[in-house]
Amino acid sequence: MSQQSKNVIYAQAGGVSAVINASAAGVIEMAKRHPEAFNKIYAARNGIKGVLEEEIIDVTHLTEDKLDRLKIQPGAAFEACRFDLDTFEENPGQYERILEVFKAYDIGYFFYNGGNGSMVTAQKVADYCTQNGHPMTCIGVAKTIDNDLALSHCSPGFGSAAKYIATSLLEATMDLYSMHNTSTKFFVLEAMGRNVGWLTIAGGLVKNIIPEVPLLILPAERQFNKTKFLNRVRDLINTKGYCVCIVSEGLTDENGNYISIENVEHTHNNAYTQLGGVAHTLSHMVAEEFGCKTHSAIPDYLQRSASHLVSQTDWEMAYRAGKAAVQAALDGLHGVLPVIEVIDTCPLVWRYKNVDLMEVADLEKSVPDEYLTEDGMDITPAALEYLTPLIKGERALAYKHGLPDIRPLEFNYVPQKLTRYIAVK
Amino acid sequence: MSQQSKNVIYAQAGGVSAVINASAAGVIEMAKRHPEAFNKIYAARNGIKGVLEEEIIDVTHLTEDKLDRLKIQPGAAFEACRFDLDTFEENPGQYERILEVFKAYDIGYFFYNGGNGSMVTAQKVADYCTQNGHPMTCIGVAKTIDNDLALSHCSPGFGSAAKYIATSLLEATMDLYSMHNTSTKFFVLEAMGRNVGWLTIAGGLVKNIIPEVPLLILPAERQFNKTKFLNRVRDLINTKGYCVCIVSEGLTDENGNYISIENVEHTHNNAYTQLGGVAHTLSHMVAEEFGCKTHSAIPDYLQRSASHLVSQTDWEMAYRAGKAAVQAALDGLHGVLPVIEVIDTCPLVWRYKNVDLMEVADLEKSVPDEYLTEDGMDITPAALEYLTPLIKGERALAYKHGLPDIRPLEFNYVPQKLTRYIAVK
């Protein structure tokens, strides 16, 4: 180990995915290969909150078995946080505490696996440390099932969620097809996505298997028009006998209001606004209009934690996101995020390139117009061409007692060295 | 082909499963092996409705490729019906028509893959034909994801749905575990089951992987008590930090009313009563009581059509249900249903035995008391012992473009010989 080597800290933040831990494994394996730069490798529990509270795990010598398990475990193995730091002006004490922890653990590298917002905060933290005599490098590790990360061909985590959504919609279509002649004629699946409809348009992948599927796709990018929707449903039921639908949880009407019973419920009790329920609304709407039986499904967490349906392509993207972040640090970069750049499209060839974290921070990549048909209820061949390679390949998974052999990994925390600190928001 | 051989008709009725077509394949393959008894093999579209309307497919010479596809296709390949015959007194014309069709196609054997009610009707039809000079044998083929079939160790279709439910709950648990420290503390999954909680208790299989999982199980067999429920949720959140829950769609309160927003909605518009939505009700209840973030999922059709998560054990049970039905006919039986008898439990060894259709007709097998803990919110070791072997084994599945390679099979209908008949209810 060279005298210049510093310790590494890795943390996870925000909504999780089925492959985020592959990124963790990528960071750990790559950092271990370079003892000339990296000494100990730590992970913080609960993202930045674990740094503040000094809940730190030494993962330098994780066993092969644990590393292998990490690679297949859905959710955040080190627990993700929904906890945003205050600004320095609001709460300088938080920044001083982080500096104290980083100094105590001789941290020189901070790899943050989170959303745009969290990563920018991490960079600010690193800059603060550097300015205060403790040089820090901060590199982002991309992840989001929403696929709204700008400047990247796609986001690690999206391909697996898309594979889950498309598989589920395909299988439900087979079920509806069976029943439509004497029973249910409409089925709707609700996909996650508050402002963006990437997972919703992934439902269109069913067309690769059943080109003639009577499918309506309602992404968040297009405002809902009840009359036009019911007309399309009527057309499909009349011509094909049934209609399958996929909808974004964040679908809004022409006045920008959410189409969702759930949202109404939550607004009533004023506790918080959580989407989910638009599928029920559409299901009731069709049942009332046509007097037919309808069904709806809301997979919620299932779509982002389906370790049994991971896309091998997505898994590789996630794994290599971790490695690329470490490589960026080795290259002397700071404040960057490795994003996916496409070299060739057929078959898909891609690599990571680094972009400035600040450049992607406030951007949200919506489904572009050229991926949606004029009526906003179907996708174009260009969308299908984009989506298809992202769900390619099935990752092998061990089963135990008939279930995926996944369980929360247990880690030993490093004994705390500093005074106790409670992070409150 | 002997002079005594007669033709066979096979049909599918009621709610479908991921493995019902394996039973179809079992009937077809077994019947083909015995040309001395069976001549042509037909399938009716839409169950008994297809017999009435003479929508008939000759499956005697189905290609190997189509048979292989049939074995993995979820839903009902020949389309299932929710269509009950009238009684003979109400509508003798229906019975005369069926006799006309059976005569025209020289049908001597009727294999009906449906619920108890449909199978009994099929037997009555066969008896009517026999009494009117056209001897008919009727044999039931078991299927139901609900597992409520009496006198059978379990029902073909249940094991795969149970595997889906348990896998989904396990994966969602991993997600919730990741998030609970700073965000969501409660997740609830809604399982199908109007009167019986078999799929709900299948959620308890997660304990085979995570023995300490903070899980509440609310089967339809136990009435819901809000105070006791919230107390248990509080205990688990306080001690483990989070709480996972699985609930039957048909959960009722102490007055026998459904705990379900959906039900209320549907009662309002008076169109029909369809369950689904109790998960949302519980999710809101917990959010309001504890002021925490909660999530809920309603997989609906996804749990009964998940070809990608079929239990190999269940698949074999379904396949052999078809073969056993044909064997019963070869044995000269009539009005029977092959059900699963257990020979040894560890490992599970089972075979089919025949019971009188009338014996099982009006019975509904609920989850027994010894499978539920006293507070009705957990399962016992005996339940786990019962459930575990049923989800064992993963059936291989071909993927195409990253999705299960399943699509509605196309069949050629036999040209109609008779006058047109429209089955109306």
Side-chain angles (χ1 to χ4, degrees), chain A residues 122-145:
Chain A
Q123 186 190 340
K124 285 182 186 161
V125 166
D127 289 342
Y128 170 84
C129 294
T130 302
Q131 286 151 18
N132 286 274
H134 184 78
M136 283 281 300
T137 290
C138 174
I139 311 283
V141 186
K143 68 96 228 199
T144 167
I145 64 159

Side-chain angles (χ1 to χ4, degrees), chain A residues 76 82 175 178 182 300 304, chain B residues 76 82 175 178 182 295 300 304:
Chain A
R82 287 206 188 272
D175 195 315
S178 302
T182 60
D300 191 68
R304 69 181 207 188
Chain B
R82 288 206 187 271
D175 195 314
S178 302
T182 58
H295 269 261
D300 191 69
R304 69 181 206 187

Side-chain angles (χ1 to χ4, degrees), chain A residues 96-406:
Chain A
E96 289 155 15
R97 170 66 178 188
I98 293 172
L99 176 59
E100 182 191 9
V101 175
F102 283 172
K103 273 185 175 166
Y105 286 82
D106 196 24
I107 305 292
Y109 301 93
F110 187 11
F111 297 104
Y112 210 40
N113 209 169
N116 290 343
S118 319
M119 291 190 290
V120 168
T121 308
Q123 186 190 340
K124 285 182 186 161
V125 166
D127 289 342
Y128 170 84
C129 294
T130 302
Q131 286 151 18
N132 286 274
H134 184 78
M136 283 281 300
T137 290
C138 174
I139 311 283
V141 186
K143 68 96 228 199
T144 167
I145 64 159
D146 293 334
N147 203 39
D148 56 355
L149 182 65
L151 307 182
S152 191
H153 180 69
C154 61
S155 310
F158 171 68
S160 296
K163 191 181 185 91
Y164 175 92
I165 285 290
T167 298
S168 299
L169 194 64
L170 170 63
E171 292 176 334
T173 298
M174 299 292 287
D175 195 315
L176 182 62
Y177 169 80
S178 302
M179 306 304 296
H180 78 274
N181 201 290
T182 60
S183 182
T184 310
K185 298 199 191 304
F186 178 82
F187 171 83
V188 54
L189 184 71
E190 179 172 321
M192 281 180 159
R194 185 179 284 256
N195 302 317
V196 295
W198 288 105
L199 281 174
T200 303
I201 70 163
L205 285 161
V206 170
K207 296 170 134 192
N208 278 335
I209 306 292
I210 311 177
E212 70 283 7
V213 61
L215 173 62
L216 297 182
I217 298 172
L218 307 176
E221 284 80 358
R222 290 290 180 271
Q223 290 177 331
F224 179 71
N225 178 297
K226 183 174 173 177
T227 309
K228 286 182 185 166
F229 167 69
L230 289 175
N231 283 341
R232 288 288 289 127
V233 173
R234 182 182 293 108
D235 283 352
L236 291 173
I237 291 179
N238 286 345
T239 55
K240 306 285 188 94
Y242 64 105
C243 173
V244 189
C245 182
I246 183 158
V247 60
S248 294
E249 60 177 348
L251 188 71
T252 56
D253 65 17
E254 281 146 346
N255 300 314
N257 298 315
Y258 287 119
I259 314 283
S260 160
I261 294 175
E262 285 290 286
N263 187 52
V264 175
E265 295 288 329
H266 284 284
T267 309
H268 274 315
N269 71 36
N270 246 341
Y272 56 94
T273 305
Q274 186 174 344
L275 301 185
V278 57
H280 286 324
T281 311
L282 298 186
S283 186
H284 294 158
M285 199 182 279
V286 171
E288 278 187 38
E289 181 74 13
F290 303 111
C292 66
K293 203 172 169 193
T294 62
H295 269 260
S296 58
I298 305 182
D300 191 68
Y301 273 179
L302 312 187
Q303 71 200 277
R304 69 181 207 188
S305 57
S307 61
H308 74 279
L309 257 185
V310 158
S311 150
Q312 179 61 24
T313 301
D314 184 45
W315 186 90
E316 282 171 21
M317 287 175 170
Y319 180 60
R320 285 171 58 181
K323 293 200 158 186
V326 175
Q327 185 60 54
L330 286 169
D331 292 344
L333 299 173
H334 164 65
V336 298
L337 173 70
V339 298
I340 295 164
E341 176 182 47
V342 166
I343 299 164
D344 207 342
T345 51
C346 193
L348 185 70
V349 181
W350 51 272
R351 67 178 166 206
Y352 275 99
K353 68 167 182 182
N354 297 302
V355 296
D356 197 313
L357 263 173
M358 293 301 176
E359 248 189 289
V360 295
D362 295 322
L363 301 174
E364 189 176 58
K365 188 174 72 174
S366 299
V367 176
D369 287 343
E370 65 261 34
Y371 283 2
L372 301 173
T373 55
E374 205 158 332
D375 73 356
M377 290 190 260
D378 198 358
I379 59 168
T380 61
L384 213 50
E385 208 171 298
Y386 167 78
L387 292 164
T388 303
L390 306 184
I391 67 163
K392 199 176 165 191
E394 291 69 51
R395 187 200 55 187
L397 185 63
Y399 281 74
K400 184 180 167 186
H401 301 308
L403 295 177
D405 187 11
I406 48 170

Side-chain angles (χ1 to χ4, degrees), chain A residues 35-71:
Chain A
E36 76 282 5
F38 313 111
N39 188 4
K40 287 193 170 171
I41 309 163
Y42 295 113
R45 184 184 177 209
N46 287 307
I48 197 73
K49 189 164 175 274
V51 175
L52 284 164
E53 297 186 341
E54 203 195 341
E55 288 203 296
I56 289 170
I57 301 154
D58 186 342
V59 292
T60 322
H61 303 294
L62 222 51
T63 61
E64 279 299 313
D65 175 64
K66 276 206 172 160
L67 261 177
D68 286 347
R69 287 188 161 267
L70 192 60
K71 288 177 187 171

